[in-house]
Amino acid sequence: MYTNGYDQYKTQSINTMTSGELLLLLYDELVKRMLRAELALDQENYELFEQSVIRCREIIRYLDDTLDHQYPISAELSRLYEFFQYQLSRVMASRKKSILQELRPYIEDLRSSFREAEKTGGR
């Protein structure tokens, strides 16, 4: 009943965000999905676990695909995203929560760095 209005609000919100805000939104979603994967493993809900890890990989792939390679930092970020993809592949194959727990702080640190850059005006 109210879904159409909510969808319009979401679309308008996303369309008015800066690129930095969108980047932070992606990182927030990535961390959320990683936590969801950890919880799913605890509950032995392997379907939710796999969906969560797949979504994490899709987000990282998108982040990598949208890098602007005219800047030197893009090559470094691309290698980091490749490492994240590798680790998530290991998680998917082994279902080891410890790999997720080791990986999440790296992603949270990167998110914090981008958040700080957004605050200081590096849009």
Side-chain angles (χ1 to χ4, degrees):
M1 181 161 126
Y2 295 105
T3 317
N4 190 29
Y6 178 70
D7 289 341
Q8 288 176 344
Y9 169 76
K10 280 189 345 186
T11 302
Q12 183 180 5
S13 294
I14 290 172
N15 289 335
T16 59
M17 287 181 164
T18 66
S19 58
E21 290 169 333
L22 287 170
L23 181 65
L24 291 174
L25 188 66
L26 283 169
Y27 272 98
D28 289 342
E29 184 66 19
L30 179 57
V31 170
K32 180 177 92 174
R33 296 295 176 136
M34 291 184 78
L35 288 169
R36 184 177 288 166
E38 287 180 37
L39 291 172
L41 277 178
D42 287 341
Q43 299 166 355
E44 296 182 6
N45 184 343
Y46 300 118
E47 184 178 338
L48 179 60
F49 163 75
E50 288 180 8
Q51 290 171 353
S52 299
V53 173
I54 288 169
R55 187 65 180 135
C56 287
R57 296 190 71 197
E58 289 170 346
I59 292 169
I60 292 170
R61 189 174 310 113
Y62 177 80
L63 290 167
D64 191 37
D65 289 346
T66 57
L67 286 172
D68 186 348
H69 290 282
Q70 72 176 342
Y71 300 105
I73 189 72
S74 294
E76 300 297 322
L77 286 170
S78 187
R79 282 193 288 277
L80 196 54
Y81 294 150
E82 185 178 327
F83 170 73
F84 293 162
Q85 289 285 17
Y86 172 75
Q87 292 297 89
L88 289 170
S89 294
R90 287 183 56 217
V91 166
M92 196 73 144
S94 67
R95 294 184 177 163
K96 288 186 178 178
K97 184 178 171 182
S98 61
I99 298 170
L100 281 171
Q101 291 172 328
E102 291 171 10
L103 184 59
R104 192 165 29 91
Y106 293 114
I107 291 173
E108 289 172 340
D109 286 346
L110 195 53
R111 178 185 62 180
S112 295
S113 297
F114 282 120
R115 179 168 283 130
E116 190 61 35
E118 177 72 9
K119 284 181 187 176
T120 59
R123 295 180 185 191

